[in-house]
Amino acid sequence: MKETKARILKVLTALPNGVLYSTTDWHRLLGKDKREIRHALDELEAEGKIEIQKSGRSDKPLYKLA
């Protein structure tokens, strides 16, 4: 899980400001199980390192650095 969280932060740091990613994007980029990615994203949000923005679909939230 620690590796997944580090990779998520590395990708978000490299992205231009304003670019958002959904859970589906993370699965494609990281090649990890979606449940593991979701847990890592939840932990990063709880730690205040990322923010979640609502998208047009409730099942597809978007993520960015806090």
Side-chain angles (χ1 to χ4, degrees):
M1 178 85 69
K2 192 180 245 186
E3 174 191 338
T4 302
K5 287 169 52 174
R7 290 177 70 190
I8 289 170
L9 290 174
K10 182 177 180 179
V11 170
L12 286 175
T13 302
L15 293 172
N17 201 11
V19 175
L20 305 172
Y21 274 92
S22 73
T23 307
T24 304
D25 296 324
W26 288 117
H27 173 68
R28 187 173 28 89
L29 286 170
L30 303 177
K32 299 278 187 179
D33 181 72
K34 287 182 184 180
R35 290 173 296 224
E36 179 182 340
I37 293 168
R38 182 74 198 149
H39 289 298
L41 290 166
D42 289 342
E43 285 184 18
L44 288 168
E45 181 192 18
E47 295 167 5
K49 294 181 179 178
I50 65 171
E51 293 178 1
I52 297 177
Q53 288 191 336
K54 304 281 185 208
S55 71
R57 293 179 50 179
S58 61
D59 63 331
K60 298 266 186 193
L62 301 171
Y63 303 90
K64 67 176 188 169
L65 285 176

